[in-house]
Amino acid sequence: MVLELYLDLLSQPCRAVYIFAKKNNIPFKVKSIEMLKGQQFSEEINKVNILRKVPVLKDGDYTLEESTAILLYLTRKYNTPSHWYPPDMKKRGRVDEYLAWQHSTIRPSASKILWLKVVIPLFLGHQVPPEKLQDAIEDLTISLRKLDEKFLQDKPFIVGNEVSLADLVAIVELMQPLGAGWDVFEGHPKLLEWRRRVESAVGKELFMEAHGRILNTSELKNIRIDAPLQAQMKPMLLKMLK
């Protein structure tokens, strides 16, 4: 039975899984889920993942959630090139270190900019207070500095001379604010050069294919939100703005 991946390419973790699987020629079938249309609340998703999140991997009767777990599962099952998750314990430790760190730093601050500038206005019908956006930008700026100084330093990639899962997970997160028209690489020439190296390592065509929807800012801003989903999400979004 072919591997099934439930994905929404507006989601950073979904893009990481998609790029990794395609780059490593892993055969899979995409089960497309559009979260801004509420499809994560469908009965189909509930049957495979009661958390109602993506990505989800379904391998026969085995189901796995959480992007990091999925990426590691794919490296082991398909024996992907070792640079993705190096056998050297110190290098592997650096990958693990970044994956653990980014969950509470890069990820929330980068995604929050898209939510504040695009997603929340779509649901609420008005822009958010500018100070909320400024706070998110300041948080991300701090995280970018730590990514640069602590993790990347003067190396081509986070772990050294070859791309790893750490770079892949990092780059998809930093592309998220571009969907809101905010270029995190502007004014960060070292990070921009790193982005270009990661793009080259995974393949420019594949990279742009995965990021096509998030970079289409005009389409994002004109997505129609169904009234029932709007009503369901409104209390949570208002809470985010407090």
Side-chain angles (χ1 to χ4, degrees), residues 185-237:
F185 302 99
E186 186 175 340
H188 296 89
K190 193 163 80 170
L191 287 177
L192 179 58
E193 287 303 312
W194 164 77
R195 170 190 165 175
R196 290 170 177 161
R197 287 192 292 271
V198 176
E199 282 188 29
S200 178
V202 303
K204 178 77 172 181
E205 184 176 348
L206 172 57
F207 187 86
M208 296 310 295
E209 175 192 338
H211 288 90
R213 289 191 69 206
I214 197 65
L215 294 177
N216 191 341
T217 55
S218 59
E219 179 188 333
L220 282 178
K221 292 177 180 178
N222 288 291
I223 291 176
R224 284 191 170 188
I225 306 298
D226 292 336
L229 179 63
Q230 196 171 25
Q232 180 180 351
M233 296 291 292
K234 187 175 180 178
M236 181 196 77
L237 298 176

Side-chain angles (χ1 to χ4, degrees), residues 168-185:
L168 179 57
V169 169
I171 195 64
V172 295
E173 296 292 347
L174 296 192
M175 295 297 291
Q176 201 73 352
L178 272 71
W182 194 69
D183 188 349
V184 302
F185 302 99

Side-chain angles (χ1 to χ4, degrees), residues 21-212:
K22 291 207 75 173
K23 174 63 179 175
N24 289 285
N25 299 311
I26 296 171
F28 66 96
K29 178 181 179 181
V30 171
K31 305 283 280 187
S32 183
I33 302 296
E34 293 192 50
M35 291 189 292
L36 289 181
K37 293 185 178 180
Q39 292 177 359
Q40 69 273 31
F41 300 114
S42 69
E43 187 59 32
E44 179 184 9
I45 283 292
N46 187 55
K47 288 178 181 177
V48 296
N49 181 14
I50 62 171
L51 299 178
R52 299 183 182 275
K53 298 187 342 185
V54 289
V56 179
L57 173 149
K58 195 168 187 297
D59 190 2
D61 60 359
Y62 179 72
T63 302
L64 189 63
E65 296 91 25
E66 298 298 331
S67 58
T68 299
I70 292 170
L71 289 167
L72 294 177
Y73 178 83
L74 294 176
T75 65
R76 292 160 180 154
K77 174 165 182 174
Y78 294 96
N79 194 28
T80 57
S82 62
H83 62 81
W84 290 109
Y85 196 53
D88 179 272
M89 292 306 296
K90 290 183 179 179
K91 289 183 178 181
R92 179 171 291 191
R94 290 298 178 210
V95 175
D96 292 338
E97 179 183 41
Y98 180 79
L99 295 178
W101 175 79
Q102 62 90 30
H103 267 292
S104 59
T105 51
I106 289 285
R107 178 145 198 239
S109 54
S111 62
K112 194 171 186 180
I113 291 173
L114 181 72
W115 276 81
L116 291 172
K117 287 200 71 175
V118 178
V119 179
I120 292 178
L122 277 174
F123 277 88
L124 299 185
H126 60 78
Q127 297 299 312
V128 304
E131 61 270 19
K132 294 289 185 181
L133 179 60
Q134 187 57 41
D135 287 345
I137 290 173
E138 289 175 4
D139 287 344
L140 181 55
T141 300
I142 292 170
S143 294
L144 290 176
R145 186 170 65 249
K146 292 178 180 178
L147 169 61
D148 184 355
E149 296 175 357
K150 155 69 178 171
F151 293 97
L152 190 57
Q153 299 176 359
D154 294 319
K155 306 186 298 292
F157 299 100
I158 290 175
V159 177
N161 293 321
E162 293 184 286
V163 70
S164 72
L165 291 180
D167 299 284
L168 179 57
V169 169
I171 195 64
V172 295
E173 296 292 347
L174 296 192
M175 295 297 291
Q176 201 73 352
L178 272 71
W182 194 69
D183 188 349
V184 302
F185 302 99
E186 186 175 340
H188 296 89
K190 193 163 80 170
L191 287 177
L192 179 58
E193 287 303 312
W194 164 77
R195 170 190 165 175
R196 290 170 177 161
R197 287 192 292 271
V198 176
E199 282 188 29
S200 178
V202 303
K204 178 77 172 181
E205 184 176 348
L206 172 57
F207 187 86
M208 296 310 295
E209 175 192 338
H211 288 90

